[in-house]
Amino acid sequence: MRGSFRFTYATLAIVYVSMLFQHDMRRDASSNALSQDLSDVLQLLNPSQYLSIGNNRIYGRFPISFQWPQSMQIISLGNNQLTGPVPNWTSSNLSSLVVLQLQSNGLEGTLGLPASGQLQIVNAHSNKLAAVDKSSWCSHYATLKAANLPFSA
């Protein structure tokens, strides 16, 4: 019974946060002690431009079926408990992406980013990501102002 209450409380917290933002394109639910599966959070919040759910206890893998809107500018998922492969956003339509924060999770694989002419900040340290070649990666993303990644020599 107690475990059932915790799940209900977490679900209600997510529903409450989604109601707060239902008419706002920004989705900032960071630092709210939310404990919920990422798939459920994405479905409930349905982000259109901004998603900030960092510093919570969001867990699970990126849902394969989730389609990030082309208008996404900020994706901030750092300091959670996400696991599994990081999405390959190379072929995605995230042409408006400015900020991507994935730090301090358990994400694996190679970070493939969209060809966004606006990408300025990428923070993906403290994961299990493959190192990227600094010279070729940074020259490909000339708009970057800050990148905290596992770079190779």
Side-chain angles (χ1 to χ4, degrees):
M1 182 70 173
R2 186 171 194 191
S4 172
F5 176 75
R6 282 180 75 195
F7 177 75
T8 302
Y9 176 76
T11 303
L12 287 175
I14 292 289
V15 170
Y16 172 73
V17 169
S18 69
M19 286 179 3
L20 288 176
F21 299 112
Q22 93 182 36
H23 297 295
D24 188 358
M25 290 183 291
R26 296 176 188 259
R27 301 290 190 251
D28 187 351
S30 59
S31 302
N32 279 297
L34 300 174
S35 180
Q36 190 75 7
D37 187 88
L38 179 61
S39 297
D40 296 336
V41 172
L42 291 174
Q43 183 178 7
L44 287 168
L45 292 180
N46 192 25
S48 58
Q49 286 185 332
Y50 305 91
L51 177 65
S52 180
I53 55 175
N55 300 310
N56 283 295
R57 291 183 300 266
I58 307 298
Y59 58 88
R61 297 171 170 257
F62 282 92
I64 295 171
S65 61
F66 186 76
Q67 297 293 313
W68 292 95
Q70 183 177 356
S71 57
M72 286 300 293
Q73 294 177 14
I74 298 174
I75 299 173
S76 180
L77 307 172
N79 300 305
N80 279 296
Q81 299 165 2
L82 302 177
T83 57
V86 66
N88 183 354
W89 284 305
T90 305
S91 61
S92 72
N93 261 351
L94 292 172
S95 58
S96 300
L97 191 63
V98 177
V99 175
L100 178 63
Q101 295 183 320
L102 303 172
Q103 75 277 6
S104 300
N105 282 291
L107 298 171
E108 304 168 350
T110 302
L111 185 60
L113 296 176
S116 170
Q118 299 181 45
L119 191 60
Q120 294 180 19
I121 299 171
V122 178
N123 190 353
H125 71 85
S126 300
N127 281 290
K128 301 172 187 172
L129 298 174
V132 296
D133 178 45
K134 185 177 184 176
S135 60
S136 65
W137 202 84
C138 289
S139 65
H140 184 70
Y141 297 102
T143 57
L144 276 180
K145 294 185 177 168
N148 193 347
L149 300 164
F151 287 117
S152 60

